[in-house]
Amino acid sequence: MILRIRSKEGMQRVSCDSGDLFGTVVEKILSHLSPSVNPATITVGSQESTANEPIAGLVYRSVADLGLNHGDIVFVKYQEKEGEQPKEAASVNINTTENVKASIAPPAKELQLDQELEKEEGLIPRKKSSLCRHGDNGMCEYCSPLPPWDKQYHEDRNIKHISFHSHLKQLNESTNKATGGSYIAPLSQPDFRINKRCINGHEPWPRGICSKCQPSAITLQQQNFRMVDHVEFQKSALINEFIECWRYTGTQRFGYMYGTYQRYDATPLGVKAVVEAIYEPPQHDEQDGLTMDMEQVKEEMSKVDQLAETFGLFPVGLIFTDLNDCGAGDGSVFCKRHKDSFFLSSLEVSMAARHQLSHPNVSKFSEQGHYSSKFVTCVISGNLQNEIDIASYQVSTSAEALVDADMITGSTHPSMAFINETTSERYVPEIFYMKRNEYGLTIKENAKPAFPVDYLLLSLTHGFPLESSERKPLFATTADFPWANRQAMGLSQDHHELKRYLYGAATSGDFKELQSKLSNFHLLLYLHSLEVLSPSEWLLLVDAVKTDEDEKLFELISTPGWQTLVMILQES
Amino acid sequence: MFSGISSFGGGFVNIPQKFEEFFRCYPVAMMNDRIRKDDANFGGKIFLPPSALSKLTMLNVRYPMLFELTANENGKVTHGGVLEFIAEEGRAYLPQWMMETLGVQPGSLLKIGSTDLPLGQFVKIQPQSVDFLDITDPKAVLENVLRKFSTLTVDDIIEINYNDSLYRIKVLEVKPDTSSRGVCVIETDLVTDFAPPVGYVEPDYKELQKQKAEEIRRTKQDPSAHENGSMSRRINYKGMIKDHQKIQSGFVGDGQKLSGKPANKSSEPEDFSRIKISLDDEPLKLDLPEGQLFFGFPIVLPKDSEEEDTQINKFQGQGQSLRKSSKRRDKSDHESSKAKAPRSPEAIEID
């Protein structure tokens, strides 16, 4: 006879005889379940709601004794052992994926902004058109508001991609609202990895494969939505100071951008990344490249992330320069990135995808609880007029999945991504992309061995705040105090620099000046690293910078920590 | 004899006597090869026959001997010194420039008379071409070449030879200004002034600067100069592509010689920095560790939009079918059958 076992891992079938002890059945069940199951916590029952009978009392009773017949369902509940490493080689990879997810440590809650946008309908209102034949209070098909994903509206305004929330609403409309059935999560992060925990009763890859665990063929298409629509740099001085490094040394530079996400009104339900500060991790710069030790960078950035969080900032993107002087002597640079060459090279796409994977966007509409990322990638390079310009991009969810499954690497041609070959670790399915051939026909092309990275790119707009905007930049000063990790430029953060920058303002009694001087991201990071201020004094300083109120500053100046700092400045 | 002459001429000592005779003039180039002196062409001295010397010695002339040359045909006048008395009788050999100044043909009759010119103090000259400006030190050149001249006359166009090239210089003005309009330039300090050369245009300096900048821009906008960065060398980017191109060529391997010497002389490693790489070939894997970015790809400059417009469709016109209706399905039908398949955008455009 066969018993069906229903657990949270799905349905399994166990064959046994009616005279068998229930304990032997349990052993068979355990072999089907993941090894991290704690056998002491297993409870069973004939209904899902009543499956709370411990197996301890049942193991010595026979199957027939329990009243189980051929085809009966046994509901099983259990808890998993914590921190247990599996012993079987076959399941090693199961846990690595779980570990990866754990190490990402997504913030538990969705962004406030996402919650707000989700509640809004985002309808695009329309005025009465010439086709309307009704009064002012009426409404017809020509003047009823458009949904936020309306294609024509976006085309008219030259918006290349719809915003994430418009896309989400569009999907939700078709999957949930129209059918009226049970709720299905509209989003699902694509996963191109081969399932090494296939339950179809064969050995895992590379020793066995079946149609279920094998990833299906991938057809690349340009993604029609983007997670962030606009990147706004709070101050142009921020970019200027960042490029300064190239101006002095001629080498390229990489930095992480810190800021927040805000509403963007130019597109329906749009999101913009507002950049308040740039932090350059330790790196080795060259004229035609840059190298970072990612271990070191991650360690340092996690510290900076924590400090930035006290100001309400988090990493919103990365930025790097790719500048080559024309030699004309008027500051013009080569236009390297344009439609005839490339926008983001395959290496940069991989890097962007990796960063997007490590900064997932929490979304309750996704099966996995997170979907894509709001992390942006900015390039400073020459535009068509040979001027220095910024370009912002994101990579699509399929790019994230391709990189996550380790399917693509960079290639010698910057516009092409190279597809890796199948190994015992990974299975690379067929990858196709659609293109127009020389006869103007749309054809499906096999992407191997390489395909254009344009299929993975999303372009964003960028800009600086309008003069009229009331949002003030969080930090008043960007330049004067040297930025961190600029030893290669001959700038270092030390007591000497600190005295030059701060001593005058700290002793003059001009609080406005002191306030604006203290309001400097890199100075604050350096002050924190000095550990002169106690934690409470540090919070006071953060408040003083954030709130722009004199009282906090008065309070700070009278603290012993601040007095010590002034003393150090005096003596150095 | 000597005393005899002196006693004979005693009464004439202070009255310079004038030598005057007619000669047929020829350019120096027509002199007999044995006696010709080419550099005499670039001086201010003439050749006279020996008989002239005997006459001159008999007369009481002022030294250095200076002559006034007058063309019989047009009355043009210039002055000159004498180099040697070796010409054939009845002939005088003149430098080319002097023939041109006088406007005479070889064989023309020329009146040559001894004369007396004041020592020059000032001369204003005008080079006849802008080439003269190329001379770095015109003062030294002039000092050197004017040594071969004994007189300068207004409206002379003298010829000088410097560094294997010919320069023509016109005398515009001399001081002291006498009726003869000539000066003697032997043993004197001459103040020289230059008039702008003929054909010289004051350059538009602003325009010039702009042109220069433009030129620099054009020459320096060679993007391949940026292709040899340090990382490019480290990861051997060019070598990678080059090797692949070689493998693809299908003709690999070396030749062998029976003598045992290497067949290929240039077996030394290639200088990758000079290789021009193109991206027309198949892409290769470029596996850099995480956290490393490479920007040293060959720079492709954007095409001018004008160029794109000039692409002409060479094959125009439509096909014709002899049958009135085609049994094949319409083109639009064919399209619609595929409409369900996912379709990528016609062209990927990213700004």
Side-chain angles (χ1 to χ4, degrees), chain A residues 216-231:
Chain A
S216 53
I218 303 163
T219 302
L220 296 169
Q221 275 182 291
Q222 244 205 333
Q223 188 170 306
N224 66 335
F225 68 95
R226 55 192 175 194
M227 303 299 292
V228 177
D229 302 274
H230 185 77
V231 181

Side-chain angles (χ1 to χ4, degrees), chain B residues 91-112:
Chain B
R91 286 184 173 197
Y93 289 101
L94 272 59
Q96 185 63 37
W97 66 265
M98 222 175 246
M99 302 281 289
E100 281 164 22
T101 302
L102 290 168
V104 290
Q105 298 299 318
S108 301
L109 217 55
L110 199 67
K111 186 172 87 179
I112 297 182

Side-chain angles (χ1 to χ4, degrees), chain B residues 144-168:
Chain B
N144 195 27
V145 299
L146 285 181
R147 230 178 264 161
K148 295 179 195 154
F149 287 81
S150 39
T151 62
L152 287 177
T153 313
V154 175
D155 287 343
D156 273 358
I157 297 179
I158 61 171
E159 248 172 25
I160 60 170
N161 182 15
Y162 171 68
N163 207 9
D164 281 343
S165 41
L166 222 65
Y167 299 96
R168 291 155 62 82

Side-chain angles (χ1 to χ4, degrees), chain A residues 152-409:
Chain A
Q152 192 62 41
Y153 178 86
H154 285 81
E155 271 173 20
D156 290 347
R157 276 156 193 76
N158 201 16
I159 303 169
K160 293 270 156 56
H161 307 273
I162 61 174
S163 67
F164 168 63
H165 281 275
S166 307
H167 170 72
L168 179 59
K169 290 216 156 56
Q170 187 181 15
L171 275 185
N172 213 10
E173 188 102 315
S174 56
T175 51
N176 289 322
K177 285 185 184 144
T179 56
S182 61
Y183 174 78
I184 308 161
L187 298 174
S188 173
Q189 179 85 7
D191 186 1
F192 297 154
R193 282 172 303 190
I194 188 164
N195 184 4
K196 294 200 177 173
R197 243 181 89 202
C198 185
I199 50 168
N200 271 15
H202 64 83
E203 291 206 77
W205 176 260
R207 275 166 289 165
I209 191 165
C210 72
S211 57
K212 274 208 168 165
C213 62
Q214 172 187 10
S216 53
I218 303 163
T219 302
L220 296 169
Q221 275 182 291
Q222 244 205 333
Q223 188 170 306
N224 66 335
F225 68 95
R226 55 192 175 194
M227 303 299 292
V228 177
D229 302 274
H230 185 77
V231 181
E232 188 170 281
F233 297 94
Q234 276 288 24
K235 293 175 86 178
S236 55
L238 209 59
I239 297 298
N240 193 38
E241 182 64 21
F242 182 66
I243 305 173
E244 203 71 352
C245 198
W246 170 74
R247 291 199 184 110
Y248 274 99
T249 62
T251 56
Q252 313 302 341
R253 196 77 178 152
F254 179 92
Y256 286 104
M257 302 189 288
Y258 282 86
T260 52
Y261 295 105
Q262 311 268 333
R263 287 202 65 131
Y264 182 53
D265 295 327
T267 59
L269 301 175
V271 174
K272 70 180 172 188
V274 179
V275 180
E276 299 274 5
I278 296 177
Y279 187 86
E280 300 160 343
Q283 57 195 292
H284 172 65
D285 298 331
E286 277 160 277
Q287 192 211 329
D288 61 343
L290 44 89
T291 317
M292 289 178 289
D293 177 5
M294 286 316 274
E295 292 287 313
Q296 191 192 358
V297 168
K298 272 183 188 135
E299 198 178 307
E300 183 157 336
M301 292 323 290
S302 68
K303 282 183 204 156
V304 179
D305 286 357
Q306 276 177 8
L307 286 176
E309 214 176 318
T310 57
F311 299 101
L313 303 179
F314 36 91
V316 293
L318 59 91
I319 186 166
F320 58 88
T321 63
D322 178 12
L323 295 167
N324 279 120
D325 193 271
C326 275
D330 55 357
S332 57
V333 290
F334 279 117
C335 174
K336 300 168 81 171
R337 290 159 189 261
H338 50 88
K339 70 176 172 33
D340 299 324
S341 63
F342 66 103
F343 293 98
L344 273 190
S345 78
S346 43
L347 294 167
E348 290 147 17
V349 167
S350 301
M351 179 182 251
R354 270 190 214 107
H355 279 95
Q356 284 186 204
L357 283 168
S358 59
H359 296 90
N361 171 50
V362 180
S363 173
K364 64 184 173 197
F365 291 100
S366 165
E367 273 177 47
Q368 291 87 357
H370 60 88
Y371 186 73
S372 194
S373 166
K374 287 198 174 72
F375 203 77
V376 300
T377 302
C378 294
V379 193
I380 301 182
S381 191
N383 64 7
L384 288 170
Q385 284 79 43
N386 287 3
E387 300 153 348
I388 295 175
D389 202 356
I390 310 165
S392 344
Y393 303 96
Q394 280 203 295
V395 294
S396 64
T397 49
S398 38
E400 288 176 18
L402 282 172
V403 170
D404 195 25
D406 193 23
M407 282 184 194
I408 57 170
T409 35

Side-chain angles (χ1 to χ4, degrees), chain A residues 286 290 292 338 410 412-413 434, chain B residues 230 234 237 281 284 291 300 342:
Chain A
E286 277 160 277
L290 44 89
M292 289 178 289
H338 50 88
T412 50
H413 293 33
M434 311 285 277
Chain B
S230 47
R234 185 143 41 83
Y237 176 67
D281 284 318
L284 295 175
V300 181

